[in-house]
Amino acid sequence: MGGAAAEAGRVPTLEAVRDAAKRLAGWAVKTPLLESPALNARLGGRLLIKAEVLQRTGSFKFRGAYNKLAAIPLERRAGGVVAFSSGNHAQGVAAAARLLGMRCVIVMPQDAPRAKRERTAALGAEVVLYDRARDDREAIASEIATRRGAVLVPPYDDALIIAGQGTAGREIVDDLSALGLVPDVVVVTASGGGLTAGIALAVKARVPAAALYTAEPQGFDDHARSFRSGRREENAALTGTICDALMARMPGKLTFAINRSLVGAGVVVSDEEVAAAVAFAFAELKLVVEPGGAVALAALMTGKVDVRNKVGVAVLSGGNVDPELFSRLVA
């Protein structure tokens, strides 16, 4: 398999996505592409929903986490792993570590949704909390990893993580092909950009004409602004959106290097538009989607990405929502 550390900084290839699919076979859920006649009629096209809310641990993050951890050589596993995350990457790493018999420490913000903190701990991880406004989560995680001899598992800027997320894109193309279709448009929620990068690699290699877009909440539109300027832009805000999963400060170095060439366009939606998408997914698709997981759907429902007379795909990236917030959004 090669060393996980040696592979981490390399730009992943389509072959790396294939390797990830082999590692994940039997462990990750091959999530379905769902379709709503009501939504198709509303949009004037054919929209397929990639339901990563049904993935193990409730988000796409398990794909990259398991691919990364499974590639760690046996002699490096004794020290365990350390990750930093607001919740979905945390659960993905914790679940992968448990399956592989590795110790796991997760550095999480104090304001992360309680359900995400509790589920991470329930998966066997040691949770270390930090103040999002004052503390440097990467510095905390790096210090713990150095002290314990553990492997640091970044949330997105890592070739093995990106390749693992790319397996979702591979499934999208395969499942559409089985229907005799190819994607014209694929919209992906973006925070650090790992899911976008992985899906872009997998989709564009097989369907070069497909157009990919990132979707982000207002105030956290670093990808959209970075695509326009050609360099990584930073968000001014640290908090202030219901999309707690999408509050990375700026695109990753490795992810942006990929997305700048393969994606290059982003759209932005309001919290109100996201809330409407969460409610629609519950009422019409019978899916529980967290706000951050519904941003791509919101972009399509508001017409910010046009799929009239096209085949589109929206990735519902996660479903780990606080119950009280969810009840307000769907009421």
Side-chain angles (χ1 to χ4, degrees), residues 67-105:
N67 190 49
K68 173 72 171 178
L69 269 62
I72 297 172
L74 294 176
E75 63 271 17
R76 290 289 319 279
R77 295 186 183 184
V81 293
V82 180
F84 46 90
S85 166
S86 64
N88 287 335
H89 180 59
Q91 292 173 73
V93 172
R98 171 174 276 188
L99 289 169
L100 293 164
M102 300 171 68
R103 292 186 296 170
C104 177
V105 178

Side-chain angles (χ1 to χ4, degrees), residues 10-279:
R10 299 176 186 168
V11 175
T13 61
L14 187 62
E15 184 179 2
V17 177
R18 292 194 194 103
D19 290 342
K22 292 175 184 175
R23 287 195 189 100
L24 288 165
W27 301 105
V29 176
K30 185 178 181 296
T31 56
L33 277 181
L34 305 177
E35 194 168 6
S36 163
L39 189 55
N40 286 347
R42 173 173 172 170
L43 300 180
R46 191 166 183 184
L47 181 67
L48 289 301
I49 304 292
K50 182 61 170 170
E52 282 296 286
V53 298
L54 302 177
Q55 184 55 257
R56 198 165 190 155
T57 73
S59 91
F60 73 94
K61 288 287 192 176
F62 177 79
R63 295 176 182 268
Y66 189 87
N67 190 49
K68 173 72 171 178
L69 269 62
I72 297 172
L74 294 176
E75 63 271 17
R76 290 289 319 279
R77 295 186 183 184
V81 293
V82 180
F84 46 90
S85 166
S86 64
N88 287 335
H89 180 59
Q91 292 173 73
V93 172
R98 171 174 276 188
L99 289 169
L100 293 164
M102 300 171 68
R103 292 186 296 170
C104 177
V105 178
I106 304 292
V107 179
M108 299 185 74
Q110 293 171 345
D111 62 351
R114 185 179 68 181
K116 291 183 177 181
R117 297 198 310 269
E118 291 177 348
R119 289 187 64 183
T120 300
L123 286 164
E126 176 186 343
V127 175
V128 175
L129 299 177
Y130 74 94
D131 186 318
R132 195 191 294 267
R134 296 185 306 175
D135 299 330
D136 184 336
R137 66 179 190 169
E138 295 187 39
I140 294 170
S142 295
E143 188 278 328
I144 295 171
T146 299
R147 176 160 40 89
R148 299 193 181 191
V151 174
L152 189 64
V153 184
Y156 46 82
D157 238 359
D158 181 283
L160 287 160
I161 296 288
I162 294 168
Q165 320 306 23
T167 60
R170 176 185 166 94
E171 290 172 11
I172 288 169
V173 176
D174 285 346
D175 288 353
L176 284 176
S177 179
L179 296 172
L181 303 171
V182 294
D184 296 309
V185 174
V186 180
V187 187
V188 188
T189 55
S191 182
L195 178 61
T196 304
I199 287 179
L201 282 167
V203 171
K204 294 290 278 189
R206 295 171 62 187
V207 189
L212 281 91
Y213 297 86
T214 57
E216 299 169 292
Q218 282 180 354
F220 298 86
D221 57 341
D222 45 295
H223 279 83
R225 288 184 290 110
S226 297
F227 290 145
R228 290 195 296 269
S229 71
R231 64 179 185 272
R232 293 191 303 144
E233 301 287 350
E234 187 172 358
N235 295 320
L238 291 171
T239 61
T241 174
I242 60 173
C243 305
D244 64 274
L246 304 182
M247 295 195 294
R249 293 299 300 276
M250 66 168 61
K253 291 180 181 179
L254 183 56
T255 58
F256 189 62
I258 297 167
N259 293 332
R260 180 171 52 191
S261 61
L262 296 182
V263 183
V267 295
V268 185
V269 295
S270 68
D271 276 4
E272 291 75 20
E273 290 165 337
V274 170
V278 170

